[in-house]
């Protein structure tokens, strides 16, 4: 009998283990776990890149897939093969950097459960190219598997402003936000950045993704129980950049600061959005502030919002 190479034996053993069990009853209330709360794209030792997990009944939804998302899922007790739905808010690298690992590890461990990836125009091409990048690492895996490439069981659906669909019993509505408002009109094709609203019978949540002030987002979040919002303090962010990357042309700093002010939300604007939504609680993520700056940001949000304000850490569930 021909002996299998050691690499295949190891892969077979890994595949036989299957995904880890969640180990808890399926929640009857929609929950939101902040897997990664960094603003990106500069890695931090205390915050992973943007990624979030929603659970309802037996449905597991991954909202954004920043670098390290697969590891953060494992810390949350979820295997990559257990996620049925992936949402991409926009195609900036800090929100997609973990997608290659998510897909390739799913393939390597014989993930057969179907997964649907929803994202803005360009998502299909992005995923197709990630599959192509798996070619040189996948030969031994294909020998072990009984047919099916890395794209087996993976469906990609491109969505736009106003698209509504269901993931299990969770209704999801996408709305285009203002994260690309500073791009010149000549830029084509126009990139799309999305916020997502999640509705179940007992709870509604809105996740902003990356956005600046946006009437569409303000309208979409009306009546939610929980607002999960990005946040950027433009003045502090620019001050940090000048310290960490000194000597840049003043025009570059001006350009970046304009992006921060128009395409992200300041603490005051987060509070204003939460009040406009009528939310009970606002959870702040996408946060690049240092520890000694958090209290000031919390006060900035609270000055405009009288509900509960939480500056999220990685792996918190709300």
């Amino acid at each position: 009998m021909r002996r299998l190479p050691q690499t295949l034996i190891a892969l077979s053993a890994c595949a036989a283990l299957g995904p880890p069990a969640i180990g808890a009853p399926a929640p009857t209330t929609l929950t939101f776990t902040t897997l990664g709360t960094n603003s990106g794209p500069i890695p931090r030792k205390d915050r992973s890149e943007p990624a979030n997990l929603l659970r309802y009944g037996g449905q597991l939804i991954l909202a954004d897939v920043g670098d390290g998302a697969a590891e953060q899922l494992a810390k949350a007790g979820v295997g990559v093969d257990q996620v049925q739905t992936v949402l991409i808010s926009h195609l900036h690298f800090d929100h997609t950097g973990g997608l290659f690992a998510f897909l390739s590890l799913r393939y390597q461990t014989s993930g057969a459960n179907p997964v649907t990836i929803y994202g803005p125009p360009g998502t299909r091409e992005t995923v197709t190219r990630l599959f192509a990048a798996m070619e040189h690492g996948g030969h031994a895996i294909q020998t072990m598997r009984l047919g099916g490439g890395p794209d087996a069981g993976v469906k990609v659906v491109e969505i736009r402003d106003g698209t509504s669909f269901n993931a299990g019993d969770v209704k999801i509505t996408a709305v285009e936000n203002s994260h690309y408002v500073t791009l010149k009109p000549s830029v084509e094709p126009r990139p799309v950045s999305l916020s997502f609203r999640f509705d179940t019978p007992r709870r509604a949540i809105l996740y902003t993704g990356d956005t600046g002030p946006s009437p569409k987002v303000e309208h979409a979040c009306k009546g939610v129980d929980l607002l999960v919002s990005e946040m950027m303090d433009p003045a502090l962010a620019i001050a940090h950049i000048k310290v960490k990357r000194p000597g840049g042309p003043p025009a570059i700093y001006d350009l970046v600061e304009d992006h921060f002010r128009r395409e992200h939300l300041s603490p005051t604007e987060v509070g204003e959005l939460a009040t406009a939504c009528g939310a009970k609680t606002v959870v702040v993520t996408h946060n690049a502030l240092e520890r000694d700056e958090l209290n000031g940001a919390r006060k900035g949000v609270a000055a405009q919002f009288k509900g509960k304000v939480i500056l999220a850490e990685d792996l918190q569930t709300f």
Side-chain angles (χ1 to χ4, degrees):
M1 179 178 178
R2 185 173 66 88
R3 296 183 63 186
L4 287 173
Q6 290 299 313
T7 54
L8 292 186
I9 292 173
L11 287 169
S12 299
C14 182
L17 291 174
I22 296 178
T28 56
T29 299
L30 179 66
T31 64
F32 192 104
T33 300
T34 49
L35 300 175
T37 58
N38 189 25
S39 69
I42 300 173
R44 293 173 61 108
K45 64 181 180 181
D46 57 341
R47 296 184 184 274
S48 190
E49 296 296 284
N52 307 279
L53 176 70
L54 292 99
R55 308 190 205 203
Y56 182 71
Q59 187 66 212
L60 296 171
I61 302 166
L62 182 60
D64 281 331
V65 198
D67 186 35
E71 179 181 357
Q72 295 299 93
L73 280 170
K75 291 177 182 177
V78 175
V80 292
D81 188 37
Q82 293 173 307
V83 175
Q84 302 108 319
T85 304
V86 175
L87 307 175
I88 304 295
S89 65
H90 63 299
L91 296 174
H92 278 166
F93 302 142
D94 55 327
H95 293 254
T96 62
L99 190 55
F100 181 80
F102 175 84
L103 291 171
S104 59
L105 293 174
R106 179 182 179 278
Y107 175 46
Q108 187 173 8
T109 53
S110 296
N113 295 329
V115 62
T116 303
I117 301 172
Y118 296 89
T123 300
R124 180 173 291 106
E125 183 178 5
T126 297
V127 173
T128 298
R129 292 188 178 192
L130 292 178
F131 287 146
M134 295 179 199
E135 178 182 354
H136 297 291
H139 296 304
I141 301 169
Q142 286 182 326
T143 302
M144 177 187 71
R145 293 170 65 102
L146 298 176
D151 58 345
V154 180
K155 181 181 179 182
V156 179
V157 179
E158 294 191 342
I159 57 178
R160 292 181 177 271
D161 181 39
T163 300
S164 183
F165 54 96
N166 278 65
D169 293 324
V170 182
K171 180 183 178 183
I172 302 172
T173 303
V175 57
E176 185 173 0
N177 58 46
S178 61
H179 190 50
Y180 292 121
V181 71
T182 62
L183 286 180
K184 295 180 180 179
S186 59
V187 175
E188 291 292 345
R190 299 294 298 177
V192 174
S193 178
L194 300 168
S195 302
F196 295 104
R197 176 173 175 137
F198 306 89
D199 282 285
T200 63
R202 297 174 55 187
R203 198 180 197 205
I205 298 173
L206 186 126
Y207 166 57
T208 65
D210 284 10
T211 185
S214 167
K216 286 185 177 182
V217 175
E218 184 176 318
H219 177 75
C221 73
K222 294 292 186 183
V224 298
D225 301 284
L226 176 66
L227 171 66
V228 181
S229 178
E230 69 115 77
M231 184 184 69
M232 178 73 70
D233 187 306
L236 287 175
I238 286 296
H240 293 324
I241 289 173
K242 288 180 177 179
V243 170
K244 295 177 181 178
R245 285 166 171 73
I252 293 296
Y253 296 133
D254 292 343
L255 182 66
V256 173
E257 184 169 2
D258 185 53
H259 162 69
F260 288 161
R261 292 191 180 281
R262 297 174 61 190
E263 298 183 337
H264 289 283
L265 295 172
S266 69
T268 297
E269 289 166 339
V270 172
E272 291 171 345
L273 176 60
T275 295
C277 293
K280 299 179 181 71
T281 302
V282 60
V283 169
V284 176
T285 185
H286 197 273
N287 175 13
L289 294 177
E290 301 300 330
R291 295 290 169 185
D292 60 356
E293 297 167 341
L294 294 178
N295 192 47
R298 184 180 289 104
K299 289 179 178 178
V301 177
Q304 302 298 324
F305 175 63
K306 302 311 175 186
K308 189 174 184 179
V309 179
I310 302 171
L311 271 61
E313 302 288 347
D314 288 9
L315 298 169
Q316 287 188 305
T317 296
F318 306 94

